[in-house]
Amino acid sequence: MKARIKWVEDRTFIGESGSGHELVLGAASQPGDATPGPSPMELVLIGTGGCSAYDVVHILEKGREAVEDCVVELDADRAETDPKVFTRIHMHFIVKGRGLSEAKVKRAIDLSIEKYCSASAMMAKTATVTHDFEVVETAG
């Protein structure tokens, strides 16, 4: 896996993935200024949620569950001192579909966080990672 980061100006950077996707990231130049994009640590948190959401959808689809939507809301704390690693991450999953088995949704989330999601495994080295979920029935 490869990536490239290019400084643009001030605290603005362009990140390019090895697959050719680009995004703007950075921080405000001064307190109160707008940010040009998510900060690197926001991207780490987003990546953790994305990794797990991908797994959950994949596992439910393989189990022939009629999953229609999966949202992960993350809430995290960071250490006060450098390096300001994540110390707590809570992931709240909202899984929508028709006739979803709550037990299968729970199993998919547990498998993701405990076995398959590389990002949550890395985050668990410094942070307490917790999760909960809700299943929402959709109209068929």
Side-chain angles (χ1 to χ4, degrees):
M1 184 176 292
K2 295 186 177 205
R4 182 174 186 264
I5 309 300
K6 169 88 173 96
W7 178 43
V8 177
E9 65 182 358
D10 298 323
R11 297 294 174 260
T12 302
F13 298 82
I14 301 290
E16 183 179 349
S17 67
S19 57
H21 298 280
E22 293 185 345
L23 61 103
V24 176
L25 63 146
S29 296
Q30 301 197 13
D33 285 354
T35 61
S39 73
M41 290 303 284
E42 286 174 318
L43 288 174
V44 169
L45 191 61
I46 289 168
T48 301
C51 180
S52 196
Y54 176 92
D55 289 340
V56 169
V57 169
H58 181 71
I59 292 165
L60 290 172
E61 286 179 338
K62 276 183 77 173
R64 304 196 191 290
E65 289 292 299
V67 62
E68 295 177 0
D69 192 22
C70 179
V71 175
V72 185
E73 298 172 345
L74 294 97
D75 183 56
D77 293 326
R78 291 177 63 192
E80 297 281 327
T81 58
D82 292 327
K84 295 177 182 166
V85 298
F86 287 108
T87 57
R88 181 193 65 84
I89 299 172
H90 180 74
M91 303 169 74
H92 176 70
F93 291 80
I94 304 163
V95 184
K96 297 179 182 179
R98 292 180 317 278
L100 293 174
S101 161
E102 195 162 309
K104 287 184 181 179
V105 170
K106 179 182 184 326
R107 181 178 172 273
I109 293 167
D110 289 345
L111 280 171
S112 173
I113 292 173
E114 296 167 10
K115 183 175 183 181
Y116 294 115
C117 179
S118 306
S120 64
M122 287 189 293
M123 295 299 100
K125 301 291 183 188
T126 64
T128 300
V129 180
T130 59
H131 63 278
D132 61 16
F133 71 96
E134 59 185 283
V135 175
V136 179
E137 181 70 22
T138 59

